[in-house]
Amino acid sequence: MTNQTKPPNILAYAPEPSAKACMVDMLRGLVRVDTYTVYPMTEGQMEARAWLDSTALLMVHGQLDEGVARVAVDYFLGGGKVMAVCSNLLRLVLPNRVKDDESRNESVLLSYDRWQNTTMEQEILDWTAEEDECREVARNSAGVEQELRIKILARESTFNTPSILNLKCLDTKGNGIFTQLHLNLDREPERDILKHLLDKHLEISIKECMHQEQIQYKNAFLIGSLHEKNNFLKSTQKVLNLTNLEMRFCNSSENLPASSETKLMVLVDRHPEDFSVEDYFSTLKTSFLGRTAIYCPMVTSSMDVVSNTTWSDGFAVISRCQSRGSGRNNNQWLSPEGCAMFSLQLHVPLASALGQRLPMIQHLVAVAVVKAIRSIPGYEKLDIRVKWPNDIYANGCTKIGGLIINSQLCGMEAVVNVGCGVNLSNSKPTMCINDLIREYNKLKGTSLPLLGIEQTLAYIFNEIDRIYVSVQEKDDLQDLYDLYYKYWLHSNRSVIVKSEDGEEIAGTISGIDEYGFLLVNTNKEGKPICVHPDGNSFDMMKGLIIPKYY
């Protein structure tokens, strides 16, 4: 199978929190939301280097500490795309071209592309070369040399110093825009210049319309058999005020207010037009899971619906599109149409096998998603696996899905809310399951049909239901552990674990413990290192684990 990794992340780093927040807001307003996820980065995350292979662009601002700056230079010289704004990064890349003097801010006249004689604020760069195009050699932190082509894209006319430079690595194809301009998005010239640089020089996909996109929220639908819907409505208030959402169950004949970011109208007497209830229920074979569900064509997040209230056990929310999807550790999760997205609520008795090991539920759902697809006749050899703790990967290198989970105690039960998104037919931001099927058909000469969202969700719910019921009835998780190892990526994988004092310890992944925490065998003390699912950085491709120490 081919490697079709398309880095979906745009990362923003600045020493000053306000500058970093401004960059994140700016980028989210400029780039295509169905293609990229924009993340703010901490100093520790930058230096961990776990992000290098999943990043489409790194944007930095200000005076970087040497450690962070070295990582950024290595990324650029290794083939990455960088935009540096009023940063000392250029001095580190080209120490012979930039004098080590303190910069000063000046109001200057800039002429660049269609922006002629425009007044701008700029940090004046003490540049030693007179030519606008030249070549220079740069060195990464290991001393490896890379030849650069340097082109000054614009000079300010007041002092005739460079305003915008484009540096390209001739060997690795690294591409960097280094600008001394103060990019204030409240001003149209700065916003348009930044958009132009991202689009034309760094080849980042930009929104076609720069005005605020109007999200069209739509009414949701209660789906289920007539008997199950009646029982559900008898036990549910007509109006629910949730933490982030007001829900109202109503008939289509009522005079309804429009659904919005904070209001969700749920029609109980009609079926959706863009989701085949017949196909879904003809494939669904569960004992309790997903038999009553709310289908949302557009919602903020399906987790806004299931969280902070108690629904029936196995209740599901299916969303076609989401405006504020989120992942583990509050990471942004892109939620375009074509992504199979759902949230479930499980009522788990605390005395049960899973009730005593609640962290294992995320592993159960993750492996159930993979097994559901690979258990369909003909699809068994699709390269879809679980990356610990709960991500879904294709071809061993491309993330196509993930989970978020939260729980609260209610008497002798844990009410567990699980949110999941899997790229089914959306090739952006990375790739999707149907891309894999197309690849497989082309490689093997087969004609496996592409999967639809209704049947896929039903297959997934069937598998979650089957594994969950089996584990609880047997009061034993061994079958779940075996299944997880069958479909995960990490058996006997060599890794390096960074200790709290920065020491790198070589080890081998031996499995997970009874709670789902990762176990790494090392030669030190003969005792495996236990890594928790949250608060760590795990770069599987580089074999580097950086736990969070408290």
Side-chain angles (χ1 to χ4, degrees), residues 363 386-389 481 484-498 505-513 516-523 527-532 536-547:
H363 302 303
V386 177
K387 172 184 174 286
W388 182 88
Y481 296 134
Y484 192 74
Y485 293 143
K486 178 180 179 180
Y487 289 109
W488 82 333
L489 285 160
H490 313 300
S491 293
N492 300 315
R493 183 70 62 93
S494 295
V495 294
I496 296 174
V497 181
K498 272 197 174 182
I505 305 169
T508 303
I509 294 177
S510 59
I512 56 176
D513 70 6
F517 302 158
L518 193 69
L519 296 176
V520 179
N521 286 333
T522 70
N523 295 325
K527 184 179 180 181
I529 296 174
C530 181
V531 183
H532 289 212
N536 65 81
S537 170
F538 182 16
D539 183 358
M540 176 189 65
M541 304 309 295
K542 295 186 181 301
L544 178 65
I545 301 175
I546 304 175

Side-chain angles (χ1 to χ4, degrees), residues 83-286:
M83 173 170 277
V85 180
C86 300
S87 172
N88 60 336
L89 193 63
L90 182 61
R91 184 178 298 119
L92 192 60
V93 176
L94 299 173
N96 296 327
R97 298 278 179 174
V98 182
K99 289 186 178 180
D100 196 20
D101 295 330
E102 290 188 7
S103 59
R104 69 183 192 275
N105 295 326
E106 296 283 357
S107 181
V108 298
L109 284 177
L110 175 76
S111 293
Y112 167 65
D113 201 81
R114 65 178 181 271
W115 299 274
Q116 298 296 311
N117 296 318
T118 303
T119 301
M120 305 281 286
E121 294 296 319
Q122 174 177 325
E123 285 192 6
I124 300 302
L125 183 69
D126 199 348
W127 184 253
T128 63
E130 295 184 0
E131 64 269 36
D132 284 348
E133 292 192 41
C134 57
R135 295 195 178 190
E136 185 66 86
V137 172
R139 294 174 179 83
N140 66 15
S141 59
V144 178
E145 295 184 346
Q146 292 289 343
E147 186 177 7
L148 303 179
R149 189 192 72 186
I150 305 166
K151 184 176 182 179
I152 297 176
L153 301 180
R155 290 178 181 266
E156 46 79 21
S157 59
T158 308
F159 304 96
N160 198 36
T161 63
S163 299
I164 307 170
L165 300 94
N166 184 204
L167 275 58
K168 291 187 176 181
C169 299
L170 299 183
D171 184 25
T172 66
K173 308 304 180 184
N175 190 7
I177 291 291
F178 297 78
T179 179
Q180 301 302 108
L181 298 173
H182 290 222
L183 297 176
N184 180 0
L185 278 193
D186 291 335
R187 281 172 39 92
E188 187 172 323
E190 284 95 328
R191 182 178 64 246
D192 290 343
I193 288 172
L194 176 60
K195 176 186 174 184
H196 185 272
L197 293 172
L198 290 170
D199 182 22
K200 301 302 181 184
H201 292 283
L202 294 173
E203 297 180 325
I204 297 297
S205 297
I206 299 297
K207 294 178 181 177
E208 294 181 4
C209 178
M210 298 311 302
H211 300 292
Q212 181 66 35
E213 295 178 349
Q214 186 66 37
I215 298 174
Q216 297 293 327
Y217 291 95
K218 299 178 181 180
N219 295 336
F221 302 84
L222 181 66
I223 62 175
S225 69
L226 183 60
H227 173 73
E228 287 164 336
K229 288 167 66 172
N230 286 336
N231 285 342
F232 175 84
L233 292 171
K234 287 177 183 178
S235 62
T236 303
Q237 298 179 35
K238 183 173 182 179
V239 178
L240 291 173
N241 289 301
L242 309 181
T243 302
N244 298 317
L245 198 64
E246 178 190 297
M247 293 183 61
R248 183 185 297 270
F249 295 91
C250 44
N251 292 311
S252 56
S253 59
E254 297 180 36
N255 186 18
L256 304 178
S259 290
S260 66
E261 185 177 17
T262 58
K263 295 181 184 293
L264 183 64
M265 304 298 114
V266 183
L267 301 180
V268 302
D269 61 343
R270 287 180 55 189
H271 286 169
E273 296 180 357
D274 59 348
F275 183 88
S276 173
V277 175
E278 181 180 353
D279 288 348
Y280 170 74
F281 281 107
S282 65
T283 309
L284 192 72
K285 308 299 180 185
T286 61

Side-chain angles (χ1 to χ4, degrees), residues 298-309:
M298 169 60 82
V299 69
T300 52
S301 169
S302 58
M303 289 296 279
D304 286 343
V305 179
V306 298
S307 298
N308 304 305
T309 192

